[in-house]
Amino acid sequence: DESIDLLAKMSEQEAGPASVAWQREYLEHLGVQQDHGCAELARVPQQFKDDRDVVKAFAGFQTACMVSMKKAAMVRQERQEKAAAEKAAELETPRGEGDSAAAAPAAD
């Protein structure tokens, strides 16, 4: 998923605010002013506490946001581990190959 990939390329400190910014931009895309939309979303649990469908949909939205951040963190971690392994492999040189001290006998 493109958004997971973009979040994974960011630091953890950058990913959270970026995710929130995208959510706010999506509200604008839907024709809802960002600040008003966020304020109304914050009121959903109180305003619709007796409407199971709305509460369930809101919980699904919150879960999707959390899952996307967790997926991005996992991808970020995998990429960091892969980069570290590749760097370690580059630093290792096979013993005996290209080592002139090993090939030449010691002078007494």
Side-chain angles (χ1 to χ4, degrees), residues 92-106:
E92 291 180 4
T93 56
R95 293 188 177 249
E97 290 182 26
D99 186 356
S100 59

Side-chain angles (χ1 to χ4, degrees), residues 33-98:
Q33 193 276 334
Q34 291 180 12
D35 291 334
H36 174 73
C38 289
E40 291 303 312
L41 282 171
R43 293 185 188 108
V44 166
Q46 295 83 22
Q47 286 183 324
F48 298 97
K49 63 184 173 195
D50 296 327
D51 188 328
R52 291 181 153 233
D53 291 335
V54 173
V55 170
K56 184 177 179 181
F58 187 71
F61 167 75
Q62 290 178 312
T63 300
C65 293
M66 287 187 287
V67 167
S68 68
M69 293 300 291
K70 287 182 181 182
K71 283 183 179 180
M74 288 173 50
V75 170
R76 185 181 308 108
Q77 181 67 31
E78 289 171 2
R79 288 177 180 170
Q80 290 170 346
E81 290 172 0
K82 181 179 178 184
E86 289 173 353
K87 185 168 184 129
E90 287 176 9
L91 296 175
E92 291 180 4
T93 56
R95 293 188 177 249
E97 290 182 26

